[in-house]
Amino acid sequence: MTSPVGLHRVVEPAGVLPQAAWRLDASARIAPNEVRIRVERLNLDAASFRQLWQKHGGDGEKVRAEVLEIVATRGKMQNPVTGSGGMLIGTVEEAGRRSPLGLRVGDRVATLVSLTLTPLAITDGLARWDGRSEQVPCDGYAILFARSIAAVLPADLHPELSLAVLDVCGAPALTARVVADQVARRERAGDSRPVCVAVIGGAGKSGSLSLAAARRAGAARTVGVVPVVAERDALVAAGLASEVVLADARDPVGLSTAVTSALGVPADVTVVCVDVPGCEHGAVLATADGGTVIFFSMATSFAAAALGAEGLAADVTMLVGNGYVPGHAELALGLLRSEPGVRGLFEARLAAD
């Protein structure tokens, strides 16, 4: 019997969901409620790519070989160190008669579910990828389940640009929801204080979108935190934040001081969008009592976040950005189209890659 969440594709260990499985069945034949995608390009998530890049000392050939090994061994792209994967774009090759996704043969789509739970096979040996960027041109196929999510690629945007945006579209959607809730609560309470938002990693993909989303949702002041001068200059030029500051997100006191100095107060909402470990305590310390911290990085240690907040006696709500909010794809693509600063940062990143 075929499961809507893909249990029938789990090879080992038995009884777990596909994301938690060590190995999936990536055979091409689909069940009546599945869809097979001809893959054109993978987008490895930032934390996974960084780990592979650092492990192999920037040797692209070794990175490429390890990605091939992971997919061949596991039947999916799930970095065994970071536990994360990414997403893909491709064309619908076959749709089962009972698939509820509404996809048709020939649709060009981006998957909005992680590669960590998507059965995947690569058939070209990644011959067109040099192992030096997160975006991976390839040939192969992937399987979507009945409970998977995919978006038909918009005709007005380059596929690589769409892929980069859709890879992180959960971040701006959840940021907008949390900020809007904060604004509404203050209005109901007759509290005239402005809602202030800090985005750690503000010049990156999810960070730039989150800054734009926070402003749209009613944040009166925003601060983008970046680690290097080049990112500071790029984010200032983009005009997405009220303030841009330099700080190492792994330095709790330094990060908190930078945010508080820029805003004049701790942030009401802090959004963590960096792909390095060790940023949990600084994010908590930079957030006001009664505020919210949203962790979007796959490098986050949630044990460190919880225990750190406890040890700091910090009365903050901590949310895990799970990548899905209803309407997230449309919101992110809308921000890209309407915010020149966001689009400029994305296009510069793609050109650099």
Side-chain angles (χ1 to χ4, degrees):
M1 183 175 182
T2 57
S3 163
V5 296
L7 289 174
H8 57 287
R9 289 276 182 173
V10 173
V11 176
E12 61 175 311
V16 302
L17 291 171
Q19 195 278 332
W22 177 254
R23 185 159 60 99
L24 298 181
D25 172 9
S27 56
R29 184 175 180 179
I30 63 170
N33 63 351
E34 293 180 328
V35 172
R36 187 173 66 251
I37 306 294
R38 197 74 201 177
V39 179
E40 301 172 20
R41 185 174 293 267
L42 309 178
N43 192 107
L44 302 182
D45 82 278
S48 177
F49 180 74
R50 177 187 288 270
Q51 185 274 327
L52 292 168
W53 183 257
Q54 292 177 340
K55 174 183 177 180
H56 296 295
D59 187 326
E61 284 300 308
K62 290 182 178 178
V63 173
R64 185 174 68 87
E66 182 159 355
V67 170
L68 281 170
E69 181 183 3
I70 290 170
V71 174
T73 301
R74 306 197 64 177
K76 58 178 178 175
M77 178 54 213
Q78 185 174 27
N79 185 316
V81 175
T82 65
S84 53
M87 60 178 294
L88 63 84
I89 60 173
T91 302
V92 176
E93 195 169 55
E94 183 179 2
R97 66 183 185 278
R98 293 208 298 268
S99 170
L101 302 185
L103 299 177
R104 301 177 181 178
V105 172
D107 282 345
R108 203 171 186 197
V109 300
T111 59
L112 301 181
V113 290
S114 175
L115 293 176
T116 64
L117 55 82
T118 303
L120 173 68
I122 292 173
T123 57
D124 68 346
L126 300 181
R128 292 173 290 143
W129 184 47
D130 61 6
R132 301 178 65 85
S133 70
E134 296 170 10
Q135 294 218 4
V136 184
C138 68
D139 188 31
Y141 63 84
I143 307 297
L144 299 184
F145 310 130
R147 287 283 296 272
S148 298
I149 314 167
V152 177
L153 290 174
D156 63 318
L157 298 175
H158 192 283
E160 290 184 24
L161 185 57
S162 296
L163 179 59
V165 173
L166 293 172
D167 181 43
V168 295
C169 62
L174 184 54
T175 298
R177 175 190 284 178
V178 171
V179 172
D181 286 347
Q182 287 269 8
V183 171
R185 282 201 299 271
R186 289 200 175 167
E187 288 177 350
R188 289 194 299 268
D191 187 342
S192 61
R193 290 177 301 156
V195 171
C196 299
V197 177
V199 177
I200 305 171
K205 295 188 299 183
S206 58
S208 58
L209 283 166
S210 295
L211 281 167
R215 185 168 62 187
R216 289 278 186 94
R221 300 196 66 203
T222 56
V223 57
V225 181
V226 295
V228 296
V229 171
E231 289 191 11
R232 181 193 65 189
D233 294 346
L235 190 53
V236 168
L240 297 174
S242 308
E243 304 286 343
V244 181
V245 297
L246 283 172
D248 184 341
R250 297 164 297 183
D251 174 1
V253 175
L255 175 64
S256 174
T257 299
V259 169
T260 303
S261 297
L263 295 173
V265 292
D268 299 299
V269 178
T270 300
V271 187
V272 182
C273 296
V274 292
D275 58 357
V276 295
C279 304
E280 300 84 5
H281 295 173
V284 171
L285 201 58
T287 306
D289 282 347
T292 301
V293 184
I294 310 173
F295 291 104
F296 277 104
S297 170
M298 291 295 102
T300 300
S301 165
F302 299 105
L307 294 173
E310 178 187 53
L312 293 166
D315 178 22
V316 296
T317 298
M318 295 184 291
L319 300 179
V320 179
N322 74 354
Y324 175 69
V325 176
H328 60 338
E330 295 81 1
L331 185 146
L333 291 170
L335 289 171
L336 181 82
R337 293 186 179 103
S338 61
E339 295 279 355
V342 171
R343 186 160 188 158
L345 289 172
F346 269 79
E347 290 178 339
R349 184 185 183 96
L350 289 173
D353 287 344

